[in-house]
Amino acid sequence: MTAVQGSDVDITTEDGVADAYLAHPADGLPHPGVLFYQDAYGIRPHLKAMADRLAGEGYTVLLPNVFYRSGRTPVFDLPEFIDPSADPTIWQQIMPVMSSLTPELSVRDSGAYLDWMAGNPLVADGPVAITGYCLGARLAVRTAAAFPDRIAAAGGFHGGRLVTEDAESPHLLADRITAELYFGFADQDQSMTEEQIRAFERALTAAGVRNTCEVYPGADHGYTQADTPAYSAEAAERHWDALLGLLKRTF
């Protein structure tokens, strides 16, 4: 892995200013861009470490605070080790903020993130990739569908609610996607059941989307997040292998 530099940056959107974390190889040269969508807990040391690790593989990584309308990072008052079962008030903080990020707002924001990356000299010209976790997996699908010519690949990990009865369910966007997709699901995740996983994969395949959908056995929702009880070192490393393989195939 190469040496990495990280810094806090601000991104102007139609609705305000989103704070973000930018990680990139320390050589100062342009590298392929990766838009990193957070989980529900928001930007914190663990996510920055993940962005740094990805940057060390030769990518310029932008990690925006998708909840910026509710405040700058940290949006929530969270402990170093996040365990909602020990403190149910954690979700009382998060749910209203997460619910306020509508599909329309998320797509509008994603355009601003992509524009910022396109104008940054540390990001190589051309399409970028996305990696998303938890709710970030939904954001990855919506962004890939809204900006097909600007997204080369998208990975989603322990994503939930990708198939719902709602008219704006992410799986209904499959026919707008041209990127290659990889999704690593957790088999213990009740927010994405086996039936929903099959429906998601069928929608992608029917639309002609290049995709790989895999189920990680014994993994819980949040398996990549080392600062939570859901973390699985084995599943997290499998995610890194899959994500880096996807990026190498598409850049």
Side-chain angles (χ1 to χ4, degrees):
M1 293 179 65
T2 62
V4 169
Q5 289 182 344
S7 61
D8 296 324
V9 299
D10 284 342
I11 300 170
T12 300
T13 74
E14 291 185 35
D15 300 322
V17 176
D19 58 295
Y21 178 70
L22 182 71
H24 58 89
D27 57 16
L29 298 174
H31 292 271
V34 179
L35 177 57
F36 184 133
Y37 280 132
Q38 64 178 66
D39 63 358
Y41 298 134
I43 299 177
R44 57 197 191 280
H46 173 63
L47 285 194
K48 288 185 175 183
M50 290 180 69
D52 288 345
R53 178 170 173 174
L54 191 51
E57 297 289 343
Y59 302 98
T60 295
V61 184
L62 180 69
L63 169 61
N65 168 21
V66 303
F67 296 148
Y68 70 89
R69 292 176 182 82
S70 297
R72 296 179 68 86
T73 301
V75 178
F76 309 116
D77 181 20
L78 299 176
E80 289 186 16
F81 188 78
I82 306 166
D83 184 0
S85 66
D87 181 6
T89 65
I90 288 174
W91 280 110
Q92 293 174 18
Q93 294 183 63
I94 294 172
M95 287 303 296
V97 174
M98 189 163 61
S99 298
S100 70
L101 185 62
T102 65
E104 179 186 4
L105 292 179
S106 70
V107 168
R108 198 154 75 207
D109 290 343
S110 63
Y113 305 148
L114 293 173
D115 287 345
W116 189 92
M117 295 179 79
N120 191 289
L122 295 170
V123 180
D125 293 339
V128 305
I130 306 171
T131 187
Y133 303 84
C134 180
L135 76 93
R138 296 198 297 275
L139 299 179
V141 173
R142 295 195 187 284
T143 303
F147 303 95
D149 58 330
R150 303 177 72 173
I151 307 301
F157 301 92
H158 47 82
R161 296 186 57 77
L162 291 165
V163 176
T164 70
E165 297 297 325
D166 192 272
E168 294 183 312
S169 176
H171 80 289
L172 299 177
L173 302 172
D175 61 352
R176 306 179 194 179
I177 295 172
T178 59
E180 179 178 348
L181 302 188
Y182 175 93
F183 278 78
F185 296 103
D187 74 344
Q188 303 298 308
D189 189 351
Q190 293 307 303
S191 69
M192 196 67 184
T193 65
E194 181 180 354
E195 181 181 355
Q196 290 170 318
I197 292 170
R198 289 199 302 266
F200 182 69
E201 187 173 16
R202 283 197 303 269
L204 296 178
T205 301
V209 178
R210 292 166 296 157
N211 75 91
T212 303
C213 292
E214 296 184 325
V215 179
Y216 293 15
D220 291 317
H221 182 79
Y223 61 77
T224 62
Q225 304 303 300
D227 56 358
T228 76
Y231 178 68
S232 163
E234 180 180 359
E237 287 307 308
R238 180 175 174 180
H239 131 269
W240 282 114
D241 289 343
L243 176 59
L244 294 173
L246 174 69
L247 297 180
K248 288 174 183 175
R249 287 196 302 274
T250 51
F251 281 129

Coordinates of all heavy atoms in Angstrom, one line a residue, residues 119-192:
G119 N -14.1 18.1 -10.6 CA -13.3 19.3 -10.6 C -12.1 19.3 -9.7 O -11.3 20.3 -9.6
N120 N -11.8 18.1 -9.1 CA -10.7 18.0 -8.2 C -9.5 17.4 -8.9 O -9.6 16.3 -9.5 CB -11.0 17.2 -6.9 CG -10.0 17.2 -5.9 OD1 -8.9 16.7 -6.0 ND2 -10.3 17.9 -4.8
P121 N -8.3 18.1 -8.9 CA -7.2 17.6 -9.6 C -6.6 16.2 -9.1 O -5.8 15.6 -9.8 CB -6.1 18.7 -9.4 CG -6.5 19.4 -8.2 CD -8.0 19.3 -8.2
L122 N -7.0 15.8 -7.9 CA -6.6 14.5 -7.4 C -7.4 13.4 -7.9 O -7.0 12.2 -7.6 CB -6.6 14.6 -5.8 CG -5.6 15.5 -5.2 CD1 -5.9 15.6 -3.7 CD2 -4.2 15.1 -5.4
V123 N -8.5 13.7 -8.6 CA -9.4 12.6 -9.1 C -9.1 12.5 -10.6 O -9.2 13.5 -11.4 CB -10.8 12.9 -8.9 CG1 -11.7 11.8 -9.5 CG2 -11.1 13.1 -7.4
A124 N -8.8 11.3 -11.1 CA -8.5 11.1 -12.5 C -9.8 11.4 -13.4 O -10.9 11.2 -12.9 CB -8.0 9.7 -12.8
D125 N -9.6 11.8 -14.6 CA -10.7 12.0 -15.5 C -11.5 10.7 -15.7 O -10.9 9.6 -15.7 CB -10.3 12.6 -16.8 CG -9.7 14.0 -16.7 OD1 -10.0 14.7 -15.7 OD2 -8.9 14.4 -17.6
G126 N -12.8 10.9 -16.0 CA -13.6 9.7 -16.3 C -14.5 9.3 -15.2 O -14.6 10.0 -14.2
P127 N -15.3 8.3 -15.4 CA -16.3 7.8 -14.4 C -15.6 7.4 -13.1 O -14.4 7.1 -13.1 CB -16.9 6.6 -15.1 CG -16.7 6.8 -16.5 CD -15.3 7.5 -16.7
V128 N -16.3 7.5 -12.0 CA -15.9 7.1 -10.7 C -16.6 5.8 -10.3 O -17.5 5.3 -11.0 CB -16.1 8.2 -9.7 CG1 -15.4 9.5 -10.2 CG2 -17.5 8.4 -9.4
A129 N -16.2 5.2 -9.2 CA -16.8 4.1 -8.6 C -17.4 4.5 -7.3 O -17.2 5.6 -6.7 CB -15.8 3.0 -8.4
I130 N -18.3 3.7 -6.7 CA -19.0 3.9 -5.4 C -18.8 2.7 -4.6 O -18.9 1.5 -5.1 CB -20.5 4.2 -5.6 CG1 -20.7 5.3 -6.6 CG2 -21.1 4.5 -4.3 CD1 -22.2 5.5 -7.0
T131 N -18.6 2.9 -3.3 CA -18.8 1.9 -2.3 C -19.7 2.4 -1.2 O -19.6 3.5 -0.8 CB -17.5 1.3 -1.7 OG1 -17.7 0.2 -0.9 CG2 -16.7 2.4 -0.9
G132 N -20.7 1.6 -0.8 CA -21.7 2.0 0.2 C -22.0 1.0 1.2 O -22.0 -0.2 0.9
Y133 N -22.3 1.4 2.4 CA -22.5 0.5 3.5 C -23.8 0.8 4.2 O -24.1 2.0 4.4 CB -21.3 0.7 4.5 CG -20.0 0.4 3.8 CD1 -19.3 1.4 3.1 CD2 -19.5 -0.9 3.8 CE1 -18.2 1.1 2.4 CE2 -18.3 -1.2 3.1 CZ -17.7 -0.1 2.4 OH -16.5 -0.4 1.7
C134 N -24.6 -0.2 4.5 CA -25.9 0.0 5.2 C -26.7 0.9 4.3 O -27.0 0.5 3.1 CB -25.6 0.6 6.6 SG -27.1 0.9 7.6
L135 N -27.2 2.0 4.8 CA -28.0 2.9 3.9 C -27.2 3.4 2.7 O -27.7 3.7 1.7 CB -28.5 4.1 4.7 CG -27.5 5.2 5.1 CD1 -27.6 6.3 4.0 CD2 -27.9 5.8 6.4
G136 N -25.8 3.4 2.9 CA -25.0 3.8 1.7 C -25.1 2.9 0.5 O -24.8 3.3 -0.6
A137 N -25.5 1.6 0.8 CA -25.7 0.7 -0.4 C -26.9 1.2 -1.2 O -26.9 1.1 -2.4 CB -25.9 -0.7 0.1
R138 N -28.0 1.7 -0.5 CA -29.1 2.2 -1.2 C -28.7 3.5 -2.0 O -29.1 3.7 -3.1 CB -30.2 2.6 -0.2 CG -30.8 1.4 0.5 CD -32.2 1.7 1.1 NE -32.2 2.7 2.1 CZ -31.9 2.4 3.4 NH1 -31.6 1.2 3.8 NH2 -31.9 3.4 4.3
L139 N -27.9 4.3 -1.4 CA -27.4 5.5 -2.0 C -26.6 5.2 -3.3 O -26.7 5.9 -4.3 CB -26.6 6.4 -1.1 CG -27.4 6.9 0.2 CD1 -26.4 7.7 1.0 CD2 -28.6 7.7 -0.2
A140 N -25.8 4.1 -3.2 CA -25.0 3.7 -4.3 C -25.9 3.3 -5.5 O -25.6 3.7 -6.6 CB -24.1 2.5 -3.9
V141 N -27.0 2.6 -5.2 CA -27.9 2.2 -6.3 C -28.5 3.4 -6.9 O -28.6 3.6 -8.2 CB -29.0 1.2 -5.8 CG1 -30.0 1.0 -6.9 CG2 -28.4 -0.1 -5.4
R142 N -29.0 4.3 -6.1 CA -29.7 5.5 -6.6 C -28.7 6.4 -7.4 O -29.1 7.0 -8.5 CB -30.3 6.3 -5.4 CG -31.4 5.6 -4.7 CD -32.2 6.5 -3.8 NE -33.1 5.8 -3.0 CZ -34.3 5.2 -3.5 NH1 -34.6 5.3 -4.7 NH2 -35.1 4.5 -2.7
T143 N -27.5 6.5 -7.0 CA -26.5 7.3 -7.7 C -26.2 6.7 -9.0 O -26.1 7.4 -10.1 CB -25.2 7.5 -6.8 OG1 -25.6 8.1 -5.6 CG2 -24.2 8.4 -7.6
A144 N -25.9 5.4 -9.0 CA -25.6 4.7 -10.3 C -26.8 4.8 -11.3 O -26.5 4.9 -12.5 CB -25.3 3.2 -10.0
A145 N -28.0 4.8 -10.8 CA -29.1 4.9 -11.7 C -29.3 6.4 -12.2 O -29.7 6.6 -13.4 CB -30.4 4.5 -11.0
A146 N -29.0 7.3 -11.4 CA -29.3 8.7 -11.7 C -28.2 9.3 -12.6 O -28.4 10.2 -13.4 CB -29.3 9.6 -10.5
F147 N -27.0 8.7 -12.5 CA -25.8 9.2 -13.3 C -25.1 8.0 -14.0 O -23.9 7.8 -13.7 CB -24.9 10.0 -12.4 CG -25.5 11.1 -11.7 CD1 -26.0 11.0 -10.4 CD2 -25.6 12.4 -12.3 CE1 -26.6 12.0 -9.7 CE2 -26.2 13.4 -11.6 CZ -26.8 13.3 -10.4
P148 N -25.7 7.3 -14.8 CA -25.1 6.1 -15.4 C -23.8 6.4 -16.2 O -23.0 5.5 -16.2 CB -26.2 5.5 -16.3 CG -27.1 6.7 -16.6 CD -27.1 7.6 -15.4
D149 N -23.7 7.5 -16.8 CA -22.5 7.8 -17.6 C -21.3 8.2 -16.7 O -20.2 8.3 -17.2 CB -22.8 8.9 -18.6 CG -23.3 10.2 -18.0 OD1 -23.9 10.1 -16.9 OD2 -23.0 11.3 -18.6
R150 N -21.6 8.4 -15.4 CA -20.5 8.9 -14.5 C -20.1 7.8 -13.5 O -19.2 8.1 -12.7 CB -21.0 10.2 -13.8 CG -21.4 11.2 -14.8 CD -21.9 12.5 -14.1 NE -20.8 13.2 -13.4 CZ -21.0 14.4 -12.9 NH1 -22.2 15.0 -12.9 NH2 -20.0 15.0 -12.3
I151 N -20.7 6.7 -13.5 CA -20.4 5.6 -12.5 C -20.0 4.4 -13.3 O -20.7 3.8 -14.0 CB -21.7 5.3 -11.6 CG1 -22.2 6.6 -11.0 CG2 -21.3 4.3 -10.6 CD1 -21.2 7.3 -10.1
A152 N -18.7 3.9 -13.0 CA -18.2 2.8 -13.6 C -18.6 1.5 -12.9 O -18.7 0.4 -13.5 CB -16.7 2.9 -13.8
A153 N -18.7 1.6 -11.6 CA -18.9 0.4 -10.7 C -19.5 0.9 -9.4 O -19.2 2.0 -9.0 CB -17.6 -0.4 -10.5
A154 N -20.2 0.0 -8.8 CA -20.7 0.3 -7.4 C -20.8 -1.0 -6.6 O -21.3 -2.0 -7.1 CB -22.1 0.9 -7.5
G155 N -20.3 -0.9 -5.4 CA -20.3 -2.0 -4.4 C -21.2 -1.6 -3.3 O -21.2 -0.4 -2.8
G156 N -22.0 -2.5 -2.8 CA -22.8 -2.3 -1.6 C -22.7 -3.4 -0.6 O -22.7 -4.6 -1.0
F157 N -22.5 -3.1 0.6 CA -22.2 -4.1 1.6 C -23.2 -4.0 2.8 O -23.4 -2.8 3.3 CB -20.8 -4.0 2.1 CG -19.9 -4.2 0.9 CD1 -19.4 -3.1 0.2 CD2 -19.5 -5.4 0.5 CE1 -18.6 -3.2 -0.9 CE2 -18.7 -5.6 -0.6 CZ -18.2 -4.5 -1.3
H158 N -23.7 -5.1 3.3 CA -24.8 -5.2 4.3 C -25.8 -4.1 4.1 O -26.3 -3.4 5.0 CB -24.2 -5.2 5.7 CG -23.2 -4.2 6.1 ND1 -23.5 -2.9 6.4 CD2 -21.8 -4.3 6.2 CE1 -22.4 -2.3 6.7 NE2 -21.4 -3.1 6.6
G159 N -26.3 -3.9 2.8 CA -27.3 -3.0 2.5 C -28.7 -3.5 2.8 O -28.9 -4.7 2.6
G160 N -29.6 -2.7 3.4 CA -30.9 -3.1 3.7 C -31.9 -2.3 2.9 O -31.7 -1.3 2.3
R161 N -33.2 -2.9 2.8 CA -34.3 -2.2 2.2 C -34.0 -1.8 0.8 O -34.4 -0.8 0.3 CB -34.7 -1.0 3.0 CG -35.2 -1.4 4.4 CD -35.8 -0.2 5.2 NE -36.9 0.5 4.4 CZ -38.1 0.0 4.3 NH1 -38.5 -1.1 4.9 NH2 -39.0 0.7 3.6
L162 N -33.4 -2.7 0.0 CA -33.1 -2.5 -1.4 C -34.3 -3.0 -2.2 O -34.4 -2.6 -3.4 CB -31.9 -3.2 -1.8 CG -30.5 -2.7 -1.3 CD1 -29.4 -3.7 -1.5 CD2 -30.2 -1.3 -1.9
V163 N -35.2 -3.8 -1.6 CA -36.4 -4.2 -2.2 C -37.5 -4.0 -1.2 O -37.6 -4.6 -0.2 CB -36.3 -5.7 -2.6 CG1 -37.7 -6.2 -3.2 CG2 -35.2 -6.0 -3.6
T164 N -38.4 -3.1 -1.6 CA -39.6 -2.8 -0.8 C -40.8 -2.7 -1.6 O -40.7 -2.8 -2.9 CB -39.4 -1.5 0.0 OG1 -39.5 -0.4 -0.9 CG2 -38.1 -1.4 0.7
E165 N -42.0 -2.5 -1.0 CA -43.2 -2.3 -1.7 C -43.4 -0.8 -2.2 O -44.3 -0.5 -2.9 CB -44.4 -2.7 -0.9 CG -44.4 -4.1 -0.4 CD -44.6 -5.1 -1.6 OE1 -45.3 -4.7 -2.6 OE2 -43.9 -6.2 -1.6
D166 N -42.5 0.0 -1.8 CA -42.6 1.4 -2.1 C -42.3 1.7 -3.6 O -41.5 1.0 -4.3 CB -41.5 2.2 -1.3 CG -41.8 3.7 -1.3 OD1 -41.2 4.4 -2.3 OD2 -42.5 4.2 -0.5
A167 N -42.9 2.7 -4.2 CA -42.8 3.0 -5.6 C -41.4 3.5 -5.9 O -40.9 3.5 -7.0 CB -43.8 4.1 -6.0
E168 N -40.6 3.9 -4.8 CA -39.3 4.4 -5.0 C -38.2 3.4 -4.5 O -37.1 3.7 -4.3 CB -39.1 5.7 -4.3 CG -39.9 6.9 -4.9 CD -39.6 8.2 -4.2 OE1 -39.7 8.2 -2.9 OE2 -39.4 9.2 -4.9
S169 N -38.6 2.1 -4.5 CA -37.7 1.0 -4.1 C -36.5 1.0 -5.0 O -36.6 1.1 -6.2 CB -38.4 -0.3 -4.1 OG -37.5 -1.3 -3.8
P170 N -35.3 0.9 -4.4 CA -34.1 0.9 -5.2 C -34.1 -0.1 -6.4 O -33.5 0.2 -7.4 CB -33.0 0.6 -4.2 CG -33.5 1.2 -2.9 CD -34.9 0.9 -3.0
H171 N -34.6 -1.3 -6.1 CA -34.5 -2.3 -7.2 C -35.3 -2.0 -8.4 O -35.0 -2.5 -9.5 CB -35.0 -3.7 -6.6 CG -36.5 -3.9 -6.6 ND1 -37.3 -3.2 -5.7 CD2 -37.3 -4.6 -7.3 CE1 -38.6 -3.5 -5.9 NE2 -38.6 -4.4 -6.9
L172 N -36.2 -1.0 -8.3 CA -37.0 -0.6 -9.5 C -36.1 0.3 -10.4 O -36.6 0.6 -11.5 CB -38.2 0.1 -9.1 CG -39.2 -0.7 -8.2 CD1 -40.4 0.1 -7.8 CD2 -39.7 -2.0 -9.0
L173 N -35.0 0.7 -10.0 CA -34.1 1.5 -10.8 C -33.1 0.8 -11.7 O -32.3 1.3 -12.4 CB -33.3 2.5 -9.9 CG -34.1 3.4 -8.9 CD1 -33.2 4.1 -8.0 CD2 -34.9 4.4 -9.7
A174 N -33.2 -0.6 -11.6 CA -32.2 -1.4 -12.3 C -32.0 -1.1 -13.8 O -30.9 -1.1 -14.3 CB -32.6 -2.9 -12.1
D175 N -33.1 -0.8 -14.4 CA -33.0 -0.6 -15.9 C -32.3 0.7 -16.3 O -32.1 1.0 -17.5 CB -34.4 -0.6 -16.6 CG -35.3 0.4 -16.0 OD1 -35.0 1.2 -15.1 OD2 -36.4 0.6 -16.6
R176 N -31.9 1.5 -15.3 CA -31.2 2.8 -15.6 C -29.7 2.7 -15.3 O -29.0 3.6 -15.6 CB -31.8 3.9 -14.7 CG -33.3 4.1 -14.8 CD -33.7 5.2 -13.9 NE -35.2 5.2 -13.7 CZ -35.9 6.1 -12.9 NH1 -35.2 7.0 -12.3 NH2 -37.2 6.0 -12.8
I177 N -29.3 1.5 -14.8 CA -27.9 1.3 -14.4 C -27.1 0.7 -15.5 O -27.5 -0.3 -16.1 CB -27.9 0.5 -13.1 CG1 -28.5 1.2 -12.0 CG2 -26.4 0.1 -12.8 CD1 -28.7 0.4 -10.7
T178 N -25.9 1.3 -15.8 CA -24.9 0.7 -16.7 C -23.7 0.2 -16.0 O -22.9 -0.5 -16.6 CB -24.6 1.7 -17.8 OG1 -24.0 2.9 -17.2 CG2 -25.8 2.1 -18.6
A179 N -23.4 0.6 -14.8 CA -22.3 0.2 -14.0 C -22.3 -1.3 -13.7 O -23.4 -1.9 -13.7 CB -22.2 1.0 -12.7
E180 N -21.1 -1.8 -13.4 CA -21.1 -3.2 -12.8 C -21.3 -3.1 -11.3 O -20.8 -2.2 -10.7 CB -19.7 -3.8 -13.1 CG -19.7 -5.2 -12.5 CD -18.4 -6.0 -12.8 OE1 -17.6 -5.5 -13.6 OE2 -18.1 -7.0 -12.1
L181 N -22.2 -3.9 -10.8 CA -22.5 -3.9 -9.4 C -22.0 -5.2 -8.7 O -22.1 -6.3 -9.2 CB -24.0 -3.8 -9.2 CG -24.7 -2.6 -9.8 CD1 -26.2 -2.6 -9.3 CD2 -24.1 -1.3 -9.5
Y182 N -21.6 -5.0 -7.4 CA -21.3 -6.1 -6.5 C -22.0 -5.8 -5.2 O -21.8 -4.7 -4.6 CB -19.8 -6.3 -6.3 CG -19.5 -7.4 -5.2 CD1 -19.3 -8.7 -5.6 CD2 -19.6 -7.1 -3.9 CE1 -19.1 -9.7 -4.7 CE2 -19.4 -8.1 -2.9 CZ -19.2 -9.4 -3.4 OH -19.0 -10.4 -2.4
F183 N -22.7 -6.8 -4.7 CA -23.4 -6.6 -3.4 C -23.1 -7.8 -2.5 O -23.3 -9.0 -2.9 CB -24.9 -6.5 -3.6 CG -25.3 -5.1 -3.9 CD1 -25.1 -4.6 -5.2 CD2 -25.8 -4.2 -3.0 CE1 -25.4 -3.3 -5.5 CE2 -26.1 -2.9 -3.3 CZ -25.9 -2.4 -4.6
G184 N -22.6 -7.5 -1.3 CA -22.3 -8.6 -0.3 C -23.3 -8.4 0.8 O -23.3 -7.5 1.6
F185 N -24.2 -9.4 0.9 CA -25.3 -9.4 1.9 C -24.9 -10.2 3.1 O -24.1 -11.1 3.0 CB -26.6 -9.9 1.3 CG -27.1 -9.0 0.1 CD1 -27.0 -9.4 -1.2 CD2 -27.7 -7.8 0.4 CE1 -27.4 -8.6 -2.2 CE2 -28.2 -7.0 -0.6 CZ -28.1 -7.4 -1.9
A186 N -25.5 -9.8 4.2 CA -25.3 -10.6 5.5 C -26.5 -11.6 5.6 O -27.7 -11.1 5.6 CB -25.2 -9.6 6.6
D187 N -26.2 -12.8 5.9 CA -27.3 -13.8 6.0 C -28.1 -13.6 7.3 O -29.2 -14.2 7.4 CB -26.8 -15.2 5.8 CG -26.0 -15.8 6.9 OD1 -25.6 -15.0 7.8 OD2 -25.9 -17.0 7.0
Q188 N -27.6 -12.9 8.2 CA -28.3 -12.6 9.5 C -29.1 -11.3 9.5 O -29.5 -10.8 10.5 CB -27.4 -12.7 10.7 CG -26.6 -14.0 10.8 CD -27.5 -15.2 11.0 OE1 -28.4 -15.2 11.8 NE2 -27.4 -16.2 10.1
D189 N -29.2 -10.7 8.3 CA -29.7 -9.3 8.2 C -31.2 -9.3 7.9 O -31.6 -9.7 6.8 CB -29.0 -8.6 7.1 CG -29.3 -7.1 7.0 OD1 -30.2 -6.6 7.7 OD2 -28.6 -6.4 6.3
Q190 N -32.0 -8.9 8.9 CA -33.4 -9.0 8.7 C -33.9 -7.8 7.8 O -35.1 -7.8 7.4 CB -34.1 -8.9 10.0 CG -33.9 -10.2 10.8 CD -34.3 -11.5 10.0 OE1 -35.4 -11.6 9.5 NE2 -33.3 -12.4 9.9
S191 N -33.1 -6.8 7.5 CA -33.5 -5.7 6.7 C -33.3 -6.1 5.2 O -33.7 -5.3 4.3 CB -32.7 -4.4 7.0 OG -31.3 -4.6 6.6
M192 N -32.8 -7.3 4.9 CA -32.6 -7.7 3.6 C -32.7 -9.3 3.6 O -31.7 -10.0 3.8 CB -31.3 -7.3 2.9 CG -31.3 -7.4 1.4 SD -32.4 -6.3 0.6 CE -32.2 -6.8 -1.1

